Amino acid sequence: QEVLASNSEDLQRLARIVSDMLLLATTEHGLTLPTQERIRLEGEALALFDFYDALAQDKHIALSLVGEGEIEGDRLMVRRAISNLLSNALRHTPRNGSIAVEIERAPDSTTVHVSNTGATVSPDLLPRLFDRFFRADGARMNPTSVGAGLGLAITRAIMLAHGGRATVTSANGLTRFSL
């Protein structure tokens, strides 16, 4: 039974990787979004805060949200992009750190920033963070992490599918992803 349970976990992980690769392939080849609707970004961020709240509390990480805005797009895809950033931030933020989501509206765009305290990512690694299967240097690696290195590639693909982009900066103990 233990061997079967272990095999089942491995197969579920492989199925998620295959599903993620399929999502990357479809979004990168310009296929249309499954659905289009108005999305209140602060509502999506707050719903994700509710989801990640127990983990944040366990690590004594403060979550904050500033700003509001809405976009037209696929709600599940947008939620997944923000969720990927929050999940990574929680993984790489040290105990008693903080994660901030900031939504900025401009006349022709809306930007979601997800920032976290913790180890600074080396400037030469920043351009590679969105590459498939890439895992950052040892300062940001978490030995308990079981990800396949697809989350940020998926986030970038989701942004491209929505006509946007994903960027990252990291300096002085603060890493900031912007969608």
Side-chain angles (χ1 to χ4, degrees):
Q1 284 182 332
E2 288 177 21
V3 170
L4 289 175
S6 176
N7 287 345
S8 176
E9 287 175 13
D10 289 342
L11 290 172
Q12 288 173 3
R13 183 171 180 265
L14 288 172
R16 279 192 308 274
I17 290 171
V18 169
S19 175
D20 289 347
M21 293 297 294
L22 180 59
L23 174 64
L24 278 170
T26 56
T27 55
E28 288 176 351
H29 287 91
L31 299 180
T32 59
L33 298 175
T35 62
Q36 292 254 348
E37 62 182 292
R38 292 302 281 167
I39 304 165
R40 300 281 315 160
L41 294 169
E42 67 278 9
E44 296 303 314
L46 288 172
L48 288 166
F49 279 11
D50 286 344
F51 180 78
Y52 287 117
D53 187 54
L55 180 59
Q57 283 185 16
D58 190 45
K59 290 182 69 178
H60 301 279
I61 294 174
L63 300 174
S64 65
L65 171 65
V66 174
E68 59 183 35
E70 58 181 31
I71 62 167
E72 188 81 23
D74 182 273
R75 178 179 308 280
L76 293 178
M77 290 177 80
V78 169
R79 183 177 284 204
R80 182 164 186 184
I82 298 169
S83 177
N84 285 348
L85 296 183
L86 285 172
S87 174
N88 281 353
L90 282 163
R91 191 175 308 120
H92 297 293
T93 301
R95 189 172 199 73
N96 299 316
S98 64
I99 297 171
V101 174
E102 180 185 356
I103 302 168
E104 272 186 300
R105 289 191 314 190
D108 61 342
S109 67
T110 301
T111 304
V112 176
H113 303 284
V114 178
S115 305
N116 69 286
T117 56
T120 300
V121 179
S122 171
D124 58 317
L125 295 177
L126 291 176
R128 299 194 56 214
L129 290 182
F130 294 101
D131 292 350
R132 292 180 191 187
F133 304 112
F134 180 75
R135 306 284 303 249
D137 64 355
R140 299 258 313 167
M141 287 293 286
N142 184 332
T144 62
S145 174
V146 295
L150 291 173
L152 292 176
I154 289 169
T155 298
R156 178 180 60 191
I158 289 170
M159 293 313 302
L160 291 173
H162 284 83
R165 61 191 170 106
T167 61
V168 61
T169 60
S170 188
N172 302 319
L174 185 72
T175 300
R176 184 181 207 198
F177 286 87
S178 299
L179 307 176

